[in-house]
Amino acid sequence: MKPIAVIGAGIAGLTAALELKKRGLPTLVFEAGKSIGGMASSFKDADGFSYDFGAHFVSNRLANALGAGGICRTVKHYGEAVHLRGKSYSYPFGLMLSPRFAPPAIAERTRDRKVVSAADWFTKKYGQTLAEEVAIPLAEAWSGAAAEELSPAIGQKFGPRILKSLYLNAAALVTGRAVCNGYSHEMPESADVYHVYPEGGMAKLLEPIANEVRDVVRLESPVEKILVEDEQVKAVRVKGETIEVSAAISTAPVHILPKLVSGTTALEPMAAFRYRPMIFVNLRFMGRGLLPDTVMWVPDRAQPFFRLTETPISMPWLAPDGKTLITFDIGCEVGDTYWTMNDETLAQTCLDGICEMYPKLRRAFISPGGVIRTPISYPVYLMKYEEQRQRFANSTGVDGLYSIGRNGEFAHSLMEDVYWRTIRRMGDVADYVGGVPEDLPFAAEIQRMMKPSEDERVRAA
């Protein structure tokens, strides 16, 4: 059997490779970078502050599935708040129970509002006051588009219903663990699913799964083209070499995928899909618990940032004793004022902004902790390509071509959902290429015979 090409060695690519390997299907993983892991990377500076590039929050269920449960610490607390008009409200209940927001939300339930855009969805979900003062400004900040231009599908990003949130919050108090609340849409959340953090940083999370497939990963091997004939994947070209494949699995952002594919126009509409660029500014302070909770949303349009995260509130080991780290999320566009601003000015801008909210923090400020810019962060669900997005969610339109992962699916998916969606999608790939079902009699023997010998692997490498 010709190998299946997996493009990218982040969590989605590595998960796909291991799942295909378990099914006895030959696989090659092509990674453009010098190391595996994608956005799941981390480092610790000389002063003892730890930084992650990617999600800080991982569930114990995902860690166990990846084989990293044994190296993870339990996170005991996690919470969110909203800063509005000089006051902080816990999220979601502090807002929903406020006399200012509760009556409009209740009244909205009785209205027959037609939901066409994200603005309609937020109004119907939260009531006009809360939608206009909190939900819509935040959505526009991290998408860079007006709520009237966004699809109501953007609501998929938000957490469970109020009663479910009440149950999960109560479970967190009883168990003394940070129970996951709205972090997975693919699997049920319960009191037994809680946040953990791997010893040594996020990069350690993928080590067990990476070790399982390391022999099929080719680093510094960017895929130049995915070759298609008669609307079917035939080969990939890597560093000038054409390799015949039975299927191709891409983790590339969907607006880049049309540039990789040659021999079809099926993917051309995806070239117009937009991702929101982001800047993450880290500042170091004396003290701990400077924010009302781990994450604080800031719908104030006058501020450059829309979210603040003080991770050491939940994971104190990420900063030295008596100190803390606050991360500022800034939505921007490549080449705009914030994107081109130097790191020192960005840090000062964020410090000035947070000190408008909490003046005492200026005396607690130690130093900047670094700036990360990424041109591809959140997918932007614009109404003008919503129909095409929904079609793409079901199929790429090319036989043997699959797109997975957060960027590859153009989805608001967190790490755990990426994992489970990838596992399920590999069943489709196995069906397409004619894999061996694991419950078939003598499946293990058949899979062993299908695997290439050591000599064949050496020749292929």
Side-chain angles (χ1 to χ4, degrees), residues 27 75 110 142 150 157 198 220 249 262 277-278 339 355 357 360 371 387 436:
T27 306
V75 177
T110 65
W142 54 254
L150 295 170
K157 179 178 173 63
E220 298 183 85
I249 301 167
S262 176
M278 294 290 299
W339 186 268
C355 288
M357 300 159 58
K360 293 181 180 179
V371 175
E387 184 177 342
V436 181

Side-chain angles (χ1 to χ4, degrees), residues 83-102:
H83 186 87
L84 188 64
R85 296 184 176 185
K87 183 178 180 181
S88 295
Y89 298 82
S90 65
Y91 176 83
F93 301 112
L95 285 170
M96 296 303 297
L97 298 178
S98 167
R100 177 174 174 76
F101 300 120

Side-chain angles (χ1 to χ4, degrees), residues 279-283 304 330 335-352 368-373:
I279 302 173
F280 304 100
V281 180
N282 295 292
L283 300 184
I330 301 175
D336 72 7
T337 300
Y338 290 121
W339 186 268
T340 57
M341 192 177 288
N342 64 54
D343 292 359
E344 293 76 14
T345 306
L346 272 173
Q348 186 62 51
T349 300
C350 290
L351 179 62
D352 291 342
V371 175
I372 297 173
R373 292 172 175 82

Side-chain angles (χ1 to χ4, degrees), residues 13-53:
L14 294 175
T15 299
L18 182 55
E19 182 65 15
L20 294 172
K21 182 178 180 179
K22 289 178 178 178
R23 293 172 179 269
L25 297 170
T27 306
L28 288 174
V29 181
F30 300 101
E31 168 56 46
K34 297 181 179 180
S35 61
I36 61 175
M39 292 185 67
S41 59
S42 52
F43 68 93
K44 190 172 185 177
D45 67 21
D47 297 319
F49 290 87
S50 295
Y51 304 86
D52 288 335
F53 184 63

Side-chain angles (χ1 to χ4, degrees), residues 125 158-165 168 181-183 185 189:
K125 178 78 172 178
F158 292 82
R161 295 181 182 275
I162 294 297
L163 290 178
K164 185 65 176 292
S165 290
L168 294 174
N181 189 349
Y183 271 74
H185 299 281
E189 292 183 324

Side-chain angles (χ1 to χ4, degrees), residues 144-441:
E148 290 78 8
E149 299 174 357
L150 295 170
S151 162
I154 203 171
Q156 296 169 1
K157 179 178 173 63
F158 292 82
R161 295 181 182 275
I162 294 297
L163 290 178
K164 185 65 176 292
S165 290
L166 278 171
Y167 157 66
L168 294 174
N169 284 0
L173 292 174
V174 172
T175 62
R177 300 182 302 217
V179 174
C180 295
N181 189 349
Y183 271 74
S184 177
H185 299 281
E186 296 294 315
M187 299 287 282
E189 292 183 324
S190 70
D192 296 324
V193 182
Y194 51 89
H195 292 293
V196 298
Y197 187 86
E199 295 275 4
M202 291 295 296
K204 297 291 184 180
L205 186 69
L206 297 183
E207 280 192 1
I209 191 172
N211 290 335
E212 293 276 354
V213 297
R214 200 173 295 277
D215 59 325
V216 299
V217 177
R218 296 186 182 182
L219 298 176
E220 298 183 85
S221 299
V223 171
E224 298 160 350
K225 285 294 178 183
I226 300 171
L227 304 177
V228 174
E229 295 179 11
D230 299 325
E231 303 303 315
Q232 184 178 29
V233 170
K234 295 294 184 181
V236 295
R237 187 160 65 239
V238 183
K239 295 196 292 189
E241 177 189 4
T242 298
I243 303 169
E244 292 188 352
V245 297
S246 56
I249 301 167
S250 172
T251 64
V254 295
H255 69 308
I256 293 176
L257 191 56
K259 300 176 183 178
L260 291 178
V261 176
S262 176
T264 180
T265 60
L267 295 164
E268 285 185 358
M270 267 67 80
F273 284 20
R274 279 180 48 197
Y275 291 83
R276 178 66 157 163
M278 294 290 299
I279 302 173
F280 304 100
V281 180
N282 295 292
L283 300 184
R284 299 185 284 192
F285 294 87
M286 293 296 298
R288 184 71 59 82
L290 305 183
L291 298 182
D293 222 319
T294 310
V295 171
M296 187 169 73
W297 299 93
V298 184
D300 183 354
R301 298 176 191 266
Q303 293 288 7
F305 45 80
F306 65 90
R307 179 169 61 185
L308 304 174
T309 306
E310 188 180 353
T311 313
I313 291 179
S314 290
M315 291 164 279
W317 54 85
L318 295 182
D321 290 342
K323 299 178 181 179
T324 195
L325 185 74
I326 297 179
T327 302
F328 299 70
D329 293 16
I330 301 175
C332 60
E333 297 298 332
V334 174
D336 72 7
T337 300
Y338 290 121
W339 186 268
T340 57
M341 192 177 288
N342 64 54
D343 292 359
E344 293 76 14
T345 306
L346 272 173
Q348 186 62 51
T349 300
C350 290
L351 179 62
D352 291 342
I354 197 172
C355 288
E356 287 182 17
M357 300 159 58
Y358 303 107
K360 293 181 180 179
L361 291 191
R362 196 173 296 276
R363 292 196 301 270
F365 176 64
I366 300 174
S367 63
V371 175
I372 297 173
R373 292 172 175 82
T374 174
I376 299 174
S377 188
Y378 300 113
V380 181
Y381 284 7
L382 291 176
M383 288 285 293
K384 63 183 180 182
Y385 49 65
E386 176 62 12
E387 184 177 342
Q388 181 62 45
R389 184 193 71 83
Q390 292 182 20
R391 283 200 297 268
F392 180 76
N394 295 319
S395 171
T396 63
V398 176
D399 290 342
L401 177 61
Y402 301 86
S403 196
I404 63 170
R406 177 176 175 173
N407 288 335
E409 290 193 52
F410 199 68
H412 291 287
S413 298
L414 298 178
M415 287 186 73
E416 184 171 5
D417 280 354
V418 167
Y419 176 82
W420 297 115
R421 289 169 71 93
T422 300
I423 291 289
R424 295 183 182 122
R425 201 67 184 274
M426 291 311 100
D428 298 336
V429 176
D431 290 341
Y432 174 77
V433 301
V436 181
E438 294 179 287
D439 58 352
L440 189 72

